[in-house]
């Protein structure tokens, strides 16, 4: 997940589509037609208290693809913020990772 957008109307959905289309050539310049291959490494928890962990994830190793993903994220943040489609509470640093376990939405059965 690069961004969390709140597109609650057809107009906002059309705006988001337009922004992505306008960004498509810059995205192509970043990735071309190649797949984005990353290497995962190590396990981390998304909570400082091991007794309260609900998410376990693998870190993404630093490489050229990871850097390109960060560049893509910066581009999208800038464009969606400028259009007023990125809510301030969703503006945070990108934590590039691969979620392995998430019990946040686990039922109470």
């Amino acid at each position: 997940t690069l961004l969390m957008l709140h597109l609650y109307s057809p107009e906002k959905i059309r705006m988001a589509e337009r922004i992505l289309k306008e960004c498509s050539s810059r995205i192509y310049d970043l990735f071309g037609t190649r797949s984005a291959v990353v290497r995962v490494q190590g396990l981390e928890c998304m909570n400082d208290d091991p007794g309260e962990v609900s998410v376990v994830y693998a870190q993404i190793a630093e490489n050229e693809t990871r850097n390109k993903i960060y560049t893509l994220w910066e581009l999208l943040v800038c464009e969606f913020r400028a259009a007023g489609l990125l809510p301030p509470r969703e503006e945070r640093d990108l934590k590039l990772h691969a979620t392995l376990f998430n019990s946040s939405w686990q039922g109470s059965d």
Side-chain angles (χ1 to χ4, degrees):
T1 304
L2 295 177
L3 298 172
M4 291 295 291
L5 302 175
H6 299 255
L7 306 175
Y8 296 126
S9 70
E11 177 188 0
K12 288 188 177 193
I13 292 170
R14 284 191 298 276
M15 287 174 65
E17 289 172 340
R18 181 183 48 78
I19 290 168
L20 289 172
K21 285 177 185 173
E22 290 172 358
C23 292
S24 65
S25 65
R26 290 181 278 177
I27 294 169
Y28 182 84
D29 288 344
L30 271 174
F31 293 98
T33 58
R34 292 167 294 167
S35 298
V37 178
V38 296
R39 186 171 61 88
V40 296
Q41 67 181 20
L43 294 177
E44 295 288 333
C45 302
M46 282 207 189
N47 192 320
D48 293 333
D49 180 357
E52 297 294 322
V53 170
S54 59
V55 177
V56 176
Y57 66 94
Q59 297 174 330
I60 304 299
E62 182 118 5
N63 66 10
E64 181 183 350
T65 301
R66 178 183 170 178
N67 296 337
K68 288 179 180 183
I69 293 170
Y70 273 105
T71 301
L72 171 62
W73 172 74
E74 290 171 336
L75 166 66
L76 296 176
V77 166
C78 181
E79 295 297 325
F80 282 100
R81 181 190 303 128
L85 293 178
L86 184 62
R89 70 176 176 268
E90 298 298 345
E91 289 198 40
R92 56 185 130 207
D93 290 337
L94 177 62
K95 186 178 193 99
L96 196 55
H97 66 281
T99 300
L100 302 173
F101 175 82
N102 184 344
S103 65
S104 298
W105 306 106
Q106 184 177 352
S108 60
D109 308 341

